[in-house]
Amino acid sequence: MNNDLPTGWATVRLADVLREPMVNGRSVRTREDGLPVLRATALRPVTVDFTQTKGGDWTAETAPTLAEASDLLVSRVSGSRSLVGEGALVDVPPQPTIFPDTMIRVRVEPALVDPRYLAHLWNSPVVRRQIEARARQGGAAIYRINHGDLAQILLPLPAPGEQARIADLLEDHLARIDATTTRTRRAIHQADELDLTMSAQASVGRLSGGDRVPGHLPSVGIHDGALPSLPAHWHWTRLENVAEVTLGVTKNSRRQWDPTDVEVPCLRVANVQRGRLALIDVPSIRLAAQRAQVARLRTGDVLLTGGGDRSQLGRGWIWEEQMPEAVHQNHLFRARITGRQLHPKLLAWHANGFGSLWCERNATQTTGLASIGLGKIKLMPVPVAPAAEQQRLVALLDAHLAALETVSAAAERAVVVADRLRSNLLQQAFTGQLPDAADPLGQQELSP
């Protein structure tokens, strides 16, 4: 910790300002109509969110540990080093509420430490660095911190009156940063929604002129739903009529290793998002050379998800040789357009709109997992426009979506700036460098 603090400040251990010993919460069984128990998600930055609860089975024999006003609740365990030890201040609980055994209650002497000051300090880089240095990784990649670790956390403390002033300033400044960030994130979301809406509309001819006719396909025993009307010169068909659709490779742990095998990247469901590919983390797989060659993805292949959350089935995007020799796993479908009947982008846009809803209707649901089989996905209804109109629509949409992407990128950068401002503001506040009327935004414009 930086020891160069202003006159009147002191650095003390948390153990030296406790009003009473730290206490772990209690583990209780879940009961729908029971006393509210905080979830891990209740520990929001600075204050506890009392909407994040579940029912707990509490009896007189198992007295609960209740969260009370001015308590600081700290996370004991987390799968992330950056989240273990995060703390939130209890405001006034709307009703008696238990905190679970995954949390530690910290009660400080209010004459020494303003609880609001402590809550902001706890979420600042000054304390986070100490917590992350002390966190230990246990089994199943879980990070833990205990009372002894927390007791040694060093706190920079000015006089109580100065603590209250700093807390007041921080709450004002952070509220403005949060409001700006919320507006910016809303703009990002709206750009994403507009992207999906425009691409879905284009794929069924709603950006084309001329008369429209009702959509129709002969029944094949599945739930097509009401097909959108199309321009008179378009037509509906089944996916199998415009593309060769195949499943990906299956990892076979029992297969005997062969020195002639090749190791190639293998895309998973997580790598295929709606309208984009996420290729930061792509695992590899060993395959026979001939199998790898047959399964290799080629430019223009449309990848579609076939397993996972029901609402995410059928999402996808286009492969453009980002990784040479890559293949895809068996929970993904590869649709390879035949005879240049359909532009790959129009198929991908359609799959992310109408196609995703169609897959959701026709999916098979098991415990916690939905899927759609190869036989069904081949029957997805697909609209087809004349070749010249397909090219015109793709050019039009590409131009509009590029403009939206520019706006979204600027907004994402603004969110990064806001996060950096928040961190810098907290660092200044707890090293005695926060001016009386500091403007957290300064001259920086966060809005895209």
Side-chain angles (χ1 to χ4, degrees):
M1 176 180 289
N2 181 7
N3 293 318
D4 188 17
L5 294 173
T7 302
W9 287 57
T11 299
V12 302
R13 297 181 310 151
L14 178 64
D16 297 330
V17 293
L18 291 175
R19 188 178 67 185
E20 58 187 69
M22 288 179 272
V23 173
N24 288 351
R26 188 181 296 277
S27 176
V28 294
R29 291 176 298 178
T30 299
R31 194 182 81 197
E32 187 174 343
D33 61 345
L35 197 66
V37 180
L38 292 172
R39 299 178 183 273
T41 51
L43 297 187
R44 298 291 174 83
V46 183
T47 56
V48 172
D49 180 356
F50 280 94
T51 67
Q52 298 295 307
T53 62
K54 62 181 180 180
D57 189 9
W58 168 73
T59 64
E61 290 75 29
T62 56
T65 45
L66 297 177
E68 298 181 11
S70 297
D71 287 348
L72 182 75
L73 298 181
V74 177
S75 170
R76 292 177 55 218
V77 296
S78 176
S80 168
R81 186 185 292 272
S82 65
L83 294 178
V84 69
E86 68 175 344
L89 182 69
V90 176
D91 205 343
V92 179
Q95 59 182 312
T97 303
I98 299 170
F99 64 94
D101 64 341
T102 57
M103 298 179 190
I104 299 171
R105 183 186 69 199
V106 177
R107 286 179 173 169
V108 293
E109 177 54 60
L112 299 175
V113 185
D114 184 311
R116 292 185 307 138
Y117 175 92
L118 178 62
H120 289 294
L121 172 58
W122 205 264
N123 287 279
S124 74
V126 172
V127 167
R128 279 307 315 170
R129 283 193 291 266
Q130 297 181 67
I131 290 175
E132 291 178 21
R134 294 175 182 275
R136 292 177 298 280
Q137 191 171 12
I142 298 297
Y143 291 91
R144 303 176 183 276
I145 198 159
N146 60 32
H147 296 194
D149 299 320
L150 298 183
Q152 300 305 313
I153 296 294
L154 299 176
L155 308 176
L157 297 180
E162 178 66 3
Q163 293 178 33
R165 185 190 74 85
I166 290 173
D168 287 341
L169 280 174
L170 281 176
E171 287 168 5
D172 176 59
H173 298 338
L174 292 175
R176 284 190 276 164
I177 291 176
D178 289 344
T180 303
T181 302
T182 298
R183 290 195 300 270
T184 306
R185 291 192 187 280
R186 189 181 300 124
I188 294 170
H189 177 72
Q190 289 171 342
D192 289 343
E193 289 296 311
L194 184 56
D195 183 318
L196 289 173
T197 299
M198 288 184 65
S199 56
Q201 296 290 314
S203 70
V204 293
R206 294 231 164 85
L207 302 186
S208 302
D211 296 334
R212 301 181 68 84
V213 296
H216 175 72
L217 271 176
S219 174
V220 289
I222 54 177
H223 305 294
D224 284 337
L227 298 181
S229 62
L230 295 177
H233 51 295
W234 290 41
H235 69 276
W236 282 100
T237 189
R238 302 284 177 186
L239 179 58
E240 64 182 357
N241 296 327
V242 295
E244 173 193 279
V245 188
T246 61
L247 277 171
V249 299
T250 303
K251 186 175 182 180
N252 185 357
S253 59
R254 296 183 179 181
R255 180 177 176 273
Q256 192 170 18
W257 183 82
D258 189 309
T260 64
D261 288 352
V262 294
E263 187 169 344
V264 294
C266 183
L267 273 68
R268 304 166 297 151
V269 169
N271 299 126
V272 179
Q273 299 296 312
R274 184 168 280 121
R276 64 185 178 87
L277 299 179
L279 302 178
I280 294 176
D281 181 17
V282 179
S284 60
I285 190 172
R286 292 191 67 85
L287 295 172
Q290 184 177 5
R291 177 72 177 107
Q293 182 60 27
V294 170
R296 185 172 73 86
L297 294 169
R298 303 182 188 280
T299 298
D301 287 347
V302 179
L303 290 163
L304 304 171
T305 58
D309 184 84
R310 195 180 191 92
S311 66
Q312 299 299 317
L313 294 177
R315 74 183 184 211
W317 195 237
I318 304 157
W319 184 251
E320 296 175 299
E321 295 288 343
Q322 293 94 329
M323 293 180 174
E325 311 304 324
V327 299
H328 62 293
Q329 62 147 237
N330 62 318
H331 292 299
L332 292 171
F333 302 109
R334 181 198 71 194
R336 183 171 290 167
I337 308 298
T338 55
R340 298 186 177 182
Q341 300 176 72
L342 185 61
H343 196 291
K345 283 189 176 180
L346 287 173
L347 174 58
W349 288 331
H350 175 67
N352 288 326
F354 172 92
S356 182
L357 296 175
W358 183 89
C359 287
E360 190 173 346
R361 276 198 302 272
N362 288 281
T364 300
Q365 183 76 44
T366 57
T367 304
L369 182 69
S371 63
I372 190 161
L374 179 62
K376 279 188 179 179
I377 198 75
K378 288 182 175 182
L379 300 176
M380 179 193 292
V382 176
V384 180
E389 186 157 356
Q390 291 186 39
Q391 296 298 326
R392 183 187 69 80
L393 282 172
V394 169
L396 176 66
L397 260 291
D398 277 346
H400 282 293
L401 298 182
L404 281 175
E405 186 175 349
T406 299
V407 172
S408 292
E412 293 284 2
R413 290 194 297 271
V415 171
V416 172
V417 170
D419 288 343
R420 189 163 58 245
L421 285 172
R422 169 185 286 275
S423 180
N424 291 344
L425 181 66
L426 291 170
Q427 179 71 24
Q428 290 179 354
F430 301 114
T431 53
Q433 302 173 52
L434 184 65
D436 286 348
D439 181 355
L441 304 182
Q443 300 302 313
Q444 301 186 61
E445 178 60 50
L446 297 189
S447 301

